[in-house]
Amino acid sequence: MLGTVSRMEELMQATINGISIAYHDQGSGFPIVFLHAFPLSRMMWAPQEAALAQDFRIVTLDLRGHGESDAPLWQYTLEQAADDVRGLLDHLAIPHAVFVGLSMGGYILFAFYRRYAERVKGLVLADTRAQADTAEGKLARFELAQIAYKQGARAIADIMIPKLLSPATTQTRPELVQRVRAMIEGNEISGIAGDLMAMAARPDSLPLLDQVSCPTQVIVGELDLPTPPSDAKLMVERIPNARLTIIPGAAHLANLEQPELFNETVRSFVSTLVSHQRGYTNNC
Ligand code: MLT
């Protein structure tokens, strides 16, 4: 599973589960691992890296099919993505971490927690949901994959950007819209279609929620449409002692639209958790 690593300035790559995975590892202290949304890349975490690497070890990765990681033609499931994350943790000799997953990143965290709960010291579930897709939702994924196949990543960006960002952001922050567009258009069609199949096949994670024994922070943008505050509240009701932060003025990509509030929420959650766990060796 583990293999070579090469570092070219910012780009770090490791061979994990037979493919090249690009990642970024910076800072020192307690590790926080960030899992990005569909159909983006680790670049969406730039504001979190800039703010949090002063206090923590920050690891971001391009999930298979995204950014500078390989985008093979098959082998896309959320369990496979969870295995890739575990492989990278092993590669980096990180036994435990806090994990932040936004939207699809959150779906992967549920898969990761089912398999590797002993590696998890805390969960930040951002702009995500525990429910599986409805039949209608699965059909929409198939149709989006067809658009990707026939029209390319640019057409996916046109469809996704109004779902990811608030109307105010799309109208007044062209540089942020362009960054999001560049991330989407930088992905291979195999990765986009692979993710869509993987998300359509994901199980219902509602039954998992009351078994989560880690400290958990849920974050949601108040204007999030794909995974609205009602989904966040449902997770908070069912995960023991979970806390909820609703970010005003943000839509689905709350970490990019309101980075200061998002970063402060993550910083406060991890700082509290680390201070409580200091001196303890047990897993959560
Ligand atoms: C994401 O942001 O990862 C997607 O909106 C998730 C989804 O399509 O369910």
Side-chain angles (χ1 to χ4, degrees):
M1 177 192 336
L2 306 180
T4 55
V5 63
S6 58
R7 289 166 191 240
M8 299 181 303
E9 299 200 7
E10 290 294 290
L11 181 63
M12 301 176 184
Q13 287 178 298
T15 302
I16 306 289
N17 295 325
I19 66 165
S20 175
I21 294 287
Y23 66 95
H24 201 207
D25 178 12
Q26 63 179 309
S28 59
F30 197 85
I32 313 178
V33 178
F34 287 80
L35 305 186
H36 62 74
F38 166 86
L40 301 173
S41 72
R42 74 185 193 282
M43 301 304 286
M44 71 171 258
W45 298 117
Q48 285 63 55
E49 289 181 308
L52 298 171
Q54 294 150 19
D55 299 312
F56 304 103
R57 181 176 180 184
I58 303 296
V59 176
T60 62
L61 67 146
D62 285 336
L63 295 160
R64 65 171 54 213
H66 296 259
E68 293 167 289
S69 288
D70 281 346
L73 272 178
W74 68 341
Q75 296 278 15
Y76 291 89
T77 63
L78 300 183
E79 291 73 23
Q80 179 66 65
D83 286 352
D84 292 344
V85 173
R86 201 210 72 161
L88 183 62
L89 291 184
D90 290 349
H91 180 80
L92 297 174
I94 296 176
H96 312 110
V98 169
F99 293 82
V100 182
L102 194 142
S103 200
M104 182 181 73
Y107 308 158
I108 295 168
L109 282 187
F110 289 129
F112 189 88
Y113 195 79
R114 278 192 193 90
R115 292 181 167 216
Y116 309 117
E118 73 282 0
R119 310 292 290 259
V120 181
K121 283 291 182 189
L123 288 171
V124 179
L125 299 167
D127 298 282
T128 192
R129 64 151 61 93
Q131 305 93 307
D133 282 353
T134 59
E136 194 182 35
K138 288 183 208 281
L139 184 60
R141 299 224 191 261
F142 177 77
E143 287 168 353
L144 198 60
Q146 284 293 95
I147 291 170
Y149 178 60
K150 291 185 174 171
Q151 299 174 40
R154 190 181 177 86
I156 300 301
D158 291 341
I159 293 167
M160 290 302 296
I161 285 171
K163 298 182 180 180
L164 299 174
L165 300 170
S166 71
T169 298
T170 50
Q171 282 156 27
T172 62
R173 298 177 67 186
E175 80 300 336
L176 179 52
V177 175
Q178 186 46 41
R179 270 163 54 205
V180 171
R181 176 175 286 283
M183 282 184 248
I184 297 173
E185 293 185 4
N187 290 327
E188 303 285 343
I189 301 307
S190 54
I192 292 173
D195 279 351
L196 288 165
M197 286 185 275
M199 289 191 287
R202 77 186 190 281
D204 182 7
S205 290
L206 285 173
L208 177 71
L209 298 182
D210 65 4
Q211 296 163 39
V212 173
S213 59
C214 283
T216 301
Q217 168 75 59
V218 177
I219 302 176
V220 66
E222 70 165 341
L223 306 175
D224 188 339
L225 293 178
T227 52
S230 54
D231 287 339
K233 287 176 185 160
L234 184 59
M235 291 190 289
V236 171
E237 278 164 20
R238 301 215 184 169
I239 299 174
N241 304 315
R243 45 170 130 163
L244 174 64
T245 300
I246 298 179
I247 306 222
H252 193 54
L253 296 181
N255 71 304
L256 284 173
E257 293 190 286
Q258 296 290 347
E260 292 82 9
L261 286 173
F262 191 97
N263 295 344
E264 206 32 57
T265 304
V266 174
R267 182 194 303 283
S268 157
F269 172 68
V270 182
S271 300
T272 305
L273 186 152
V274 169
S275 66
H276 282 168
Q277 291 199 343
R278 198 163 282 140
Y280 292 85
T281 53
N282 58 307
N283 297 322
C284 59

